[in-house]
Amino acid sequence: MKKALLILALTSIVSATFAQKANIQTASNHLRHGELKEAKSAIDKATINASSKGMAKTWKIRADVYYKIGTAKNASIKALSPNAFEEAFEAFKTLKEVDAKKMYTSEVTPGIANCARNFYNKGEAAYNDSSYASAIKYFDLCAAAKAANGLKSKPKAYYPPVHWAALAAEKMKNYDLAEKNYREMIAADYAKLDMFKNLIDIYKKGKDDQEGYEKVLAEARVAFPDDLNLMLVETDVLLNKGDKEGAKRNLDAAIAKDPENEKLYYFIATTVYEPQGDLENAEANYLKALELKPDYVDAAYNAGVMYYNVAADILKKANDITDNTKYNAEKEKAQVKFKKAVEYLAKVEVLAGEDMAVVKEELKPTLINTLRSLKNAYVRLNDPVKMKLVKAKLTALGIS
């Protein structure tokens, strides 16, 4: 009786094994004929059965079936598995684990690579559609697929989806996730400078964390001491702290690195020398900016306004002087500064053009302020002819 039961049990096991093998073959046959619904049904049964789920062929066919579903153009076929590429990826990973005889080694890597490419495309589409949570999901899957193919040691191949996931996280204001990704890429030396700059922006504009912002900036400056943009960002921090000397050191280093950059001379004039009342060095740097860029309106305007304000301040203080000789001496000093102001402001007037009807819109506010200052300067310099010409230009611009 026991022998009969044992034979019956063995017969049942063998029958079940043959049944599952039959499911695998059935799935293979349906797959070969493009019958994906039937292939899916058969392979789903095989992959949950104890007697066949350890077979490499089971997972190879499952991976192929689900990948085909994912790439199908027919909507009803795609609907068989909304997460077909994820299922295919998991099947390829399992195949890699159970394929002891290495029968399918040559097919696993390209199969996973195909899944990675489709995850990336889905992530990109979701990002462009502003579906950022979905974008992060697919970019993460893409990175996981690349890692499964051993690409983590190759930053240029592995990290693009990690970067896109960080950008999507920023869009969602998930700054912690974005920072995690940026930190990972910095550690891997992938586009390290750009990742530092993105991280700096997170603290400055996203988290609004000044202390964290300065710490990350300091890290970046240590890693990239010669980067011009980082120098200027740090200079801004130093200026906000009132550290004019530190700012000057940075700007001097920046100018030494990029001596043909007119903006650097303008920046050091406006942020360091002019606020310190060092008109000589301020003017020298404005002149250098204009030498490098003769049509640099802002440099000419700022130099003119600088001297105009100094002249106006001298006159204001002179009004309290009762001694005529001293008053006239101060008035003469103011006249010299007004002449300097006119020299630069007239340059702005020329750069803007003689025909007020065709002045560029972006230049109009600067030109109007320039003409107003020129009108007042000509009054102070007792030059009614030029004052009337300037007044006419203001009228042409609709300013009384």
Side-chain angles (χ1 to χ4, degrees):
M1 181 66 179
K2 286 183 179 179
K3 187 176 181 180
L5 289 172
L6 180 59
I7 291 170
L8 183 61
L10 288 171
T11 302
S12 297
I13 292 170
V14 170
S15 298
T17 300
F18 275 116
Q20 294 313 314
K21 283 186 176 179
N23 274 327
I24 296 169
Q25 190 57 49
T26 299
S28 180
N29 291 338
H30 284 305
L31 176 62
R32 190 165 57 251
H33 291 96
E35 298 161 351
L36 295 178
K37 181 178 181 181
E38 293 78 5
K40 177 183 178 299
S41 177
I43 203 61
D44 282 350
K45 293 172 185 175
T47 49
I48 60 173
N49 187 276
S51 64
S52 55
K53 68 180 182 181
M55 297 178 184
K57 188 175 182 180
T58 301
W59 295 100
K60 171 62 172 69
I61 293 172
R62 181 179 178 84
D64 289 345
V65 168
Y66 276 91
Y67 188 79
K68 287 285 187 182
I69 291 172
T71 56
K73 294 182 179 179
N74 186 298
S76 62
I77 297 299
K78 275 190 174 295
L80 293 173
S81 177
N83 301 315
F85 291 123
E86 293 164 61
E87 294 288 351
F89 173 42
E90 290 301 321
F92 277 122
K93 285 199 298 181
T94 305
L95 172 58
K96 194 173 184 178
E97 294 170 8
V98 302
D99 188 16
K101 295 181 180 180
K102 309 295 181 186
M103 294 172 60
Y104 302 105
T105 300
S106 64
E107 298 177 64
V108 171
T109 298
I112 291 176
N114 286 336
C115 290
R117 185 176 65 254
N118 280 284
F119 290 144
Y120 189 91
N121 291 342
K122 282 179 169 285
E124 189 174 47
Y127 186 94
N128 291 336
D129 196 38
S130 301
S131 301
Y132 300 118
S134 183
I136 291 170
K137 170 189 169 182
Y138 285 115
F139 285 131
D140 284 351
L141 281 167
C142 179
K146 286 174 176 284
N149 266 352
L151 294 178
K152 203 164 186 179
S153 61
K154 299 178 180 178
K156 288 184 179 179
Y158 174 73
Y159 281 105
V162 178
H163 185 193
W164 277 107
L167 294 174
E170 278 197 66
K171 292 288 189 180
M172 293 182 69
K173 302 188 187 307
N174 187 344
Y175 299 118
D176 290 339
L177 175 58
E179 179 173 5
K180 172 181 168 293
N181 283 21
Y182 289 135
R183 287 287 185 190
E184 182 183 341
M185 289 181 279
I186 287 169
D189 202 19
Y190 173 75
K192 191 172 181 177
L193 177 57
D194 288 338
M195 297 310 120
F196 260 125
K197 289 177 179 177
N198 289 344
L199 194 52
I200 287 167
D201 278 347
I202 281 179
Y203 275 93
K204 181 70 173 177
K205 301 172 185 175
K207 292 186 174 185
D208 192 23
D209 178 351
Q210 185 65 24
E211 184 180 352
Y213 166 67
E214 290 181 22
K215 283 182 179 179
V216 174
L217 176 58
E219 283 182 62
R221 287 284 285 127
V222 170
F224 298 96
D226 295 326
D227 184 76
L228 182 60
N229 287 329
L230 290 177
M231 282 183 191
L232 295 179
V233 172
E234 186 182 53
T235 299
D236 188 55
V237 170
L238 293 169
L239 287 169
N240 287 334
K241 288 183 171 182
D243 185 358
K244 292 287 198 303
E245 285 305 311
K248 182 179 179 299
R249 281 195 300 274
N250 263 20
L251 288 169
D252 284 341
I255 288 170
K257 182 174 177 58
D258 189 7
E260 301 301 307
N261 188 336
E262 72 280 355
K263 291 180 181 179
L264 295 178
Y265 297 98
Y266 172 80
F267 196 42
I268 198 169
T270 57
T271 60
V272 176
Y273 291 121
E274 190 176 336
Q276 290 178 344
D278 187 346
L279 303 189
E280 184 178 345
N281 275 313
E283 183 181 13
N285 280 278
Y286 284 133
L287 282 171
K288 184 62 179 178
L290 286 163
E291 176 189 321
L292 292 168
K293 189 176 188 293
D295 62 345
Y296 200 166
V297 170
D298 287 344
Y301 177 74
N302 271 48
V305 169
M306 175 181 73
Y307 278 114
Y308 181 91
N309 288 339
V310 170
D313 189 55
I314 292 172
L315 279 184
K316 183 179 178 182
K317 290 176 180 177
N319 287 332
D320 295 329
I321 298 173
T322 56
D323 185 292
N324 283 337
T325 302
K326 290 182 180 179
Y327 172 79
N328 288 332
E330 290 303 301
K331 184 179 177 181
E332 184 60 32
K333 287 181 185 177
Q335 296 282 81
V336 171
K337 301 302 181 187
F338 275 126
K339 286 176 182 177
K340 275 281 192 181
V342 166
E343 179 184 337
Y344 288 103
L345 294 172
K347 186 174 181 64
V348 176
E349 185 184 11
V350 171
L351 289 173
E354 291 299 318
D355 188 350
M356 295 296 101
V358 295
V359 173
K360 293 179 181 177
E361 283 299 319
E362 64 268 23
L363 284 180
K364 277 187 178 180
T366 300
L367 180 59
I368 289 168
N369 288 332
T370 297
L371 293 173
R372 282 172 169 165
S373 296
L374 276 173
K375 185 180 79 169
N376 292 333
Y378 287 136
V379 169
R380 298 293 184 184
L381 293 171
N382 194 26
D383 192 337
V385 175
K386 288 183 179 178
M387 187 272 289
K388 287 179 181 178
L389 289 173
V390 169
K391 190 175 181 181
K393 287 186 177 182
L394 281 168
T395 302
L397 289 169
I399 307 297
S400 58

